[in-house]
Every structure is written in structure tokens, then in C-alpha cells.
Amino acid sequence: HYIILDDSLSMGQRVKSETGFDVARQVVERLTADLARQGGANLISMLRTSNPTVPDFISTALDEPMLVRTQKFLAGTSPSYLALSPAEAVQQASQMAGASSVVNKVCHLISDFQAKDWTP
């Protein structure tokens, strides 16, 4: 599983009591917890849009210690001060997946999906 976490400036926008980034962190926590409960040999790689060429985790087995590590990592992250497109992170995840011998590959893009990033 390749998780791309959008940590662009827009993710810091607050709606009521939460930012888009707060919600994104919760989504990643639920996703990884669900994958760990499924059992099997789930591996995760995670990267952020602010620095997609330096993944935070690379093909790491998703077990209980990794869940704790992921939660601690997410608690220490915040949106960047950059207006970023997810395109480079998606391309990097695609390259990582292409180089992997794992058969089943899934990419999860956690973003606020700003229109400017998806319209020509």
C-alpha cells in the first residue's frame, strides 16, 4: 500500500474545529489500523507531497509496532507552507510500485482535492 499524504498549505485550512490535515491524519490512522487487522503481509510506503522523493516509510510491515510508529509520526507532522500539487508524489509512488515485485499494489491519496490540482 502506497499512502500519499497531502501536506500542502491548503490542508491547514480550518473548517469548524478541524483542519483538512487533522482529518487526513485520522484517515491514515484508520486505514493502517484496518489493514493491520486484516492480517497477512501488508506493507506500507508513505510519502508526503512536500518531499515526495524522501518517503517517510518504505515497504514496512504493518504490524502493531508499526501502527504505534505511524501514529507517533502523524502526531508530529503538520501542513507545510507550500502550495503543492500531488502530481510529483503520485509519480514517485508509481515509480516505487513499478520497482516492487509485490503483485497487489494499492495507492491511497489522502488530500483535500483542490480543483486547481485537477483541472487542466
Side-chain angles (χ1 to χ4, degrees):
H1 293 266
Y2 299 88
I3 301 171
I4 300 170
L5 179 59
D6 181 354
D7 64 342
S8 64
L9 179 64
S10 65
M11 293 292 283
Q13 293 178 349
R14 188 168 296 282
V15 176
K16 296 185 183 179
S17 63
E18 292 183 308
T19 65
F21 198 74
D22 294 332
V23 174
R25 283 191 293 230
Q26 293 167 18
V27 168
V28 173
E29 286 181 10
R30 281 193 312 266
L31 172 64
T32 54
D34 288 347
L35 289 170
R37 271 193 294 278
Q38 288 177 4
N42 286 314
L43 302 174
I44 66 164
S45 295
M46 185 163 61
L47 47 121
R48 291 175 283 161
T49 55
S50 63
N51 196 4
T53 59
V54 181
D56 300 302
F57 303 112
I58 301 173
S59 296
T60 306
L62 196 50
D63 53 15
E64 191 62 35
M66 184 57 189
L67 283 177
V68 172
R69 189 173 157 207
T70 302
Q71 290 170 348
K72 286 181 181 179
F73 171 78
L74 291 170
T77 60
S78 59
S80 68
Y81 293 101
L82 304 170
L84 302 160
S85 165
E88 188 177 345
V90 170
Q91 182 178 13
Q92 179 68 21
S94 176
Q95 289 173 356
M96 291 169 65
S100 171
S101 62
V102 174
V103 177
N104 295 323
K105 302 167 189 171
V106 180
C107 183
H108 308 271
L109 175 58
I110 316 299
S111 175
D112 57 359
F113 296 97
Q114 295 287 312
K116 68 177 180 51
D117 296 324
W118 304 99
T119 53

